[in-house]
Amino acid sequence: MSSSSKKPVCIIAIGMAGSGKSTFVHRLSAHLLSKSPPAPPYLLNLDPAVANVPYDPNIDIRDTVDYHEVMKQYNLGPNGGILTSLNLFTTKFDQVLDLVEKRAETVDYVIIDTPGQIEIFTWSASGAIITDAVASALPTVVAYIVDTPRSVAPATFMSNMLYACSILYKTKLPFIVVFNKIDVEPHAFALDWMRDFEVFQESLASHQSTTDDEGAPTYMNSLMNSMSLVLDEFYKHLKSVGVSSVTGDGISEFLGVVEASREEYEKDYLPELARVRAQREATLQKRKEESTARMLADLNVDRARDPNFAAQDRWNPDGEEQEEEDDGGELNIIDRSEDPWPGQYIDLTQPRARETTWPRPA
Ligand SMILES: Nc1nc2c(ncn2[C@@H]2O[C@H](COP(=O)(O)OP(=O)(O)OP(=O)(O)O)[C@@H](O)[C@H]2O)c(=O)[nH]1
């Protein structure tokens, strides 16, 4: 795709289990559909273990990988099963990108719903590969969904923000903190805490269990106090918005912030991506040249030792074995919006099926 101004923005919804990612994706999609004319987004569900999603995904990992089958075949528990399913799906992610790119002219937003267990996406190689692949192809923003009612305790709020901080610095993508469920708990307290660390420290001091039996601040309290100073810098790079995925409050504002983030992506992320790519290519080229020079030097030594080697060192195309082409072009990923849903998933684990049953550790 040439002009990034015409590209859809990709929104990756990440958040702790139960923060409301799927409901948020559903609400966002409903909001876009209710526009005049309707602007349906392109939806991807990457949670293989979810029983029901409240929206109709265009691409659903569950069509490609059977999470229960993966658990059985690889003798894994639920989290291992989700991670392995995501790994298997990632091996076909180029096909997903092709399907998304085909729709690039007709959609404004591509929305990715990630697995319930946050670390499966944020701390796995697959999550990083998917994020990098998408971010190289489309303007991408991370929507970090926070369960606002569950973050009213300063310690919980801080843990959540530390996690957000780690994702921001890992992905380096434009980042929007979405305070969800504001119909239950307005997010004004969070904004105050982020704006002024002294307000946070006051709340922390007045919260229960911040002093020990002798009235001295607990270790946790001191740690939180120091962390609030560290996070002060991080908050400056954040955009935040309060939404209710149930009532739809704040969704328009969220889309406004997404548009601003698109500019940030183009201004900051894209040049950095180009710089890193150029650097990687230059390093690769240098390594190639060094290794070619080493090989030629070795050849010269061999030829000097035994001139007959020179005659043997001729390439014989007839003797070359034809390598079998791998079937990487085979299409496994289903775009539900293009053809009628075929009604059966395609099991990526099949080529790897084996008889072995792995013993569980005692
Ligand atoms: N009141 C209220 N409830 C919400 C809101 N958003 C989500 N919920 C509820 O929160 C619960 C969890 O929502 P989900 O959308 O399943 O959360 P999730 O993050 O996708 O969950 P996992 O994928 O299992 O981690 C559900 O009961 C939702 O109805 C909201 O804005 N307000």
Side-chain angles (χ1 to χ4, degrees):
M1 286 176 282
S2 53
S3 156
S4 61
S5 58
K6 292 219 178 74
K7 287 179 181 179
V9 179
C10 178
I11 301 168
I12 307 181
I14 298 178
M16 301 282 177
S19 56
K21 297 177 288 294
S22 306
T23 318
F24 174 73
V25 171
H26 169 59
R27 172 56 57 193
L28 200 52
S29 159
H31 177 92
L32 293 166
L33 277 167
S34 69
K35 278 175 135 186
S36 174
Y42 197 77
L43 304 175
L44 273 78
N45 169 43
L46 294 189
D47 190 347
V50 67
N52 297 302
V53 276
Y55 51 87
D56 273 336
N58 297 79
I59 295 178
D60 192 334
I61 185 171
R62 294 173 301 169
D63 295 337
T64 313
V65 192
D66 182 340
Y67 152 74
H68 288 107
E69 198 51 40
V70 170
M71 276 171 66
K72 244 195 285 172
Q73 275 196 30
Y74 293 83
N75 200 20
L76 297 167
N79 286 334
I82 299 174
L83 181 60
T84 307
S85 299
L86 190 66
N87 288 343
L88 291 167
F89 186 75
T90 306
T91 62
K92 300 284 173 182
F93 203 74
D94 54 327
Q95 294 180 20
V96 176
L97 272 188
D98 283 349
L99 290 170
V100 171
E101 290 199 354
K102 264 195 221 161
R103 295 304 205 82
E105 297 294 317
T106 50
V107 298
D108 293 332
Y109 297 99
V110 175
I111 307 175
I112 302 183
D113 189 6
T114 57
Q117 299 299 326
I118 188 169
E119 68 279 10
I120 287 178
F121 191 78
T122 53
W123 290 105
S124 67
S126 303
I129 291 168
I130 291 175
T131 309
D132 286 353
V134 171
S136 318
L138 299 173
T140 304
V141 302
V142 173
Y144 184 74
I145 319 290
V146 176
D147 188 331
T148 315
R150 292 185 66 187
S151 304
V152 288
T156 318
F157 177 80
M158 170 122 325
S159 309
N160 221 330
M161 286 299 128
L162 283 173
Y163 210 102
C165 182
S166 70
I167 299 172
L168 172 75
Y169 288 119
K170 197 160 186 279
T171 61
K172 299 185 185 74
L173 283 167
F175 200 87
I176 307 171
V177 179
V178 180
F179 289 106
N180 191 27
K181 310 192 186 180
I182 56 166
D183 54 311
V184 178
E185 181 71 50
H187 67 303
F189 74 92
L191 296 183
D192 289 343
W193 287 350
M194 288 162 75
R195 221 173 278 135
D196 186 346
F197 67 88
E198 283 177 359
V199 177
F200 175 81
Q201 290 180 342
E202 276 163 26
S203 302
L204 189 64
S206 61
H207 209 262
Q208 292 167 345
S209 323
T210 48
T211 50
D212 59 21
D213 295 343
E214 282 142 30
T218 56
Y219 172 71
M220 188 68 167
N221 193 18
S222 311
L223 179 69
M224 294 283 162
N225 256 318
S226 319
M227 293 310 295
S228 65
L229 298 176
V230 176
L231 285 186
D232 200 44
E233 183 58 32
F234 159 70
Y235 293 148
K236 288 184 192 141
H237 300 281
L238 282 191
K239 295 185 192 71
S240 59
V241 54
V243 304
S244 165
S245 302
V246 168
T247 65
D249 255 14
I251 294 288
S252 308
E253 197 192 329
F254 169 78
L255 288 173
V257 179
V258 168
E259 271 319 301
S261 303
R262 172 205 282 270
E263 283 161 29
E264 190 188 323
Y265 167 92
E266 280 161 11
K267 196 163 66 64
D268 301 334
Y269 183 82
L270 222 47
E272 176 63 13
L273 185 72
R275 190 189 63 77
V276 171
R277 263 198 202 143
Q279 201 178 33
R280 201 181 303 146
E281 268 161 32
T283 316
L284 264 178
Q285 182 63 25
K286 194 165 160 247
R287 271 203 214 126
K288 254 192 228 163
E289 281 165 9
E290 281 170 3
S291 109
T292 312
R294 258 201 315 275
M295 189 189 75
L296 287 175
D298 287 350
L299 263 178
N300 286 340
V301 171
D302 281 349
R303 285 175 179 176
R305 274 196 202 136
D306 186 347
N308 287 336
F309 270 134
Q312 290 166 18
D313 272 350
R314 295 279 172 258
W315 175 53
N316 176 8
D318 298 336
E320 194 180 58
E321 281 183 26
Q322 284 288 316
E323 284 199 9
E324 263 187 44
E325 275 206 4
D326 92 88
D327 66 345
E330 190 193 333
L331 192 77
N332 298 117
I333 305 294
I334 298 156
D335 182 341
R336 285 164 176 255
S337 45
E338 280 200 336
D339 300 309
W341 161 230
Q344 63 174 72
Y345 76 93
I346 293 164
D347 191 351
L348 269 183
T349 60
Q350 276 310 308
R352 292 159 183 245
R354 57 181 100 167
E355 291 298 300
T356 331
T357 46
W358 297 97
R360 270 203 176 278

